Amino acid sequence: MTTTGEDHTRAPTGPWWWERRRGAVLDVALGLASAAECGAEGVPFARDAGLPLWLGVAFGVLAGSVLLVRRKWPVAVVLVAVAVTPAEMGLLMGIVGLYTLAACELPRRVIVALAGMSLVGTMIVTFVRVRQDMARGDLTLGDWFVPFAAVATSLGVTAPPLLLGLYVGARRRLMESLRERADSLERELQLLAERAEERAEWARSEERTRIAREMHDVVAHRVSLMVVHAAALQAVARKDPEKAVRNAALVGDMGRQALTELREMLGVLRSGDGARGRVRPLAVPLAAVGVAAAEAASKAAAEVVVVDGPWLSELEELVGQSAAAGMVVALSVEGELRSYPAEVEQTAYRVVQEALTNVHKHAAGAKTYVRLAHRSAEIAMQVENDSPPEPGSASAGLPSGGNGLVGMRERVVSLGGVFVSGPTDAGGFRVSAVIPAA
């Protein structure tokens, strides 16, 4: 099926070897006309040969009806036309046969050989016939007229149908070639559109995973600290009202920070959806589908919802929040602090944040060490906690979805870094990551 939507590879609808009924009707009409012509010309042939008239007519009708099979056996039609040329019959059969022969996809040497036979046969018969007429006195022209009439007649009968058939055959083959190229182009466009759709779907899946990971990091850490502070608030509300007030203030700050970050993320998502929603679909030709789909997939793969921060400069504040929640945590920084690409700083911050959240969830009261090293070509971070003072204790019943370590690994690996996590020999847990600086 081409770009116009028309299927050019139709199944044959005509009888026998004809592809269409109108082709069969045309060949039957030509066959009847050729049979009538040859039958009429069979009368003088029978008289000259001394045969019964009915035999001459029957021979002419049988020879002329061969034109019915011109599409299936064009060589046979031309050979029969050449064979009956001495009987001065088969003019229509010879012309139509040469046209069909030239239009078919036969080797050129076969076409030239048969056309040459027809040319020579017509020339000889015409030469003999004109010479006989001049000998009887029917023609009073000079001797020059005999070869002239023979050559002109043979060329006039042979050349036009031959040239017309060659032209029609070449045009038909050209149209078939163009149709095949159009079909091939459409298949390539469909394949390109399918691949672009796959790329777009992959980009959407990656973006959904990234957004889920970002929201998990934002919500899990803030809410975990809020739960820890709420538990501490419940424990000291009656014993130490001032500390309860401070914890309540911290819970409020944590909630406001979590809401602010969520609003920023959702605001960016809404603005992106709105921009895409205002785009009106345009009617484009099929030839542009593949390119447009590929560009859309590339843009979808390149689109990243970027939220300002967090940055490594906020790492001390992050550690301070965990310390305020009752965690014994120590921060050590090696090397000179410098600026990194936004993705690198955000990933490093999120790794430390998620590791601290896991300590709150699974190792309440354990001493924790946060180490950050600025190196020449990379940045390394490590969060390690000792074994909890009370084995099996958890912080205020915090739930765990099991996605924290997976999200950290995905973040680090996507930037070409290395992520390792696992228990230590002392009964604690260690999270380590190295991210390229560029």
Side-chain angles (χ1 to χ4, degrees), residues 128-162:
V128 173
R129 184 65 177 176
V130 174
R131 192 175 182 84
Q132 291 176 352
D133 291 342
M134 291 186 67
R136 288 196 303 265
D138 296 340
L139 294 175
T140 58
L141 299 175
D143 294 338
W144 60 271
F145 182 73
V146 177
F148 173 77
V151 172
T153 302
S154 59
L155 289 177
V157 172
T158 305
L162 184 66

Side-chain angles (χ1 to χ4, degrees), residues 215-239:
M215 296 187 68
H216 171 271
D217 292 342
V218 171
V219 174
H221 181 73
R222 303 295 184 190
V223 173
S224 297
L225 290 180
M226 290 171 63
V227 174
V228 171
H229 282 291
L233 177 62
Q234 183 180 5
V236 302
R238 297 180 180 180
K239 299 179 181 179

Side-chain angles (χ1 to χ4, degrees), residues 7 11 56 96 131 155 172 184 219 238 260 360 382 408 424:
D7 189 359
V96 177
R131 192 175 182 84
L155 289 177
R172 183 183 301 162
S184 176
V219 174
R238 297 180 180 180
T260 300
H360 284 293
Q382 184 182 86
M408 284 190 283
T424 63

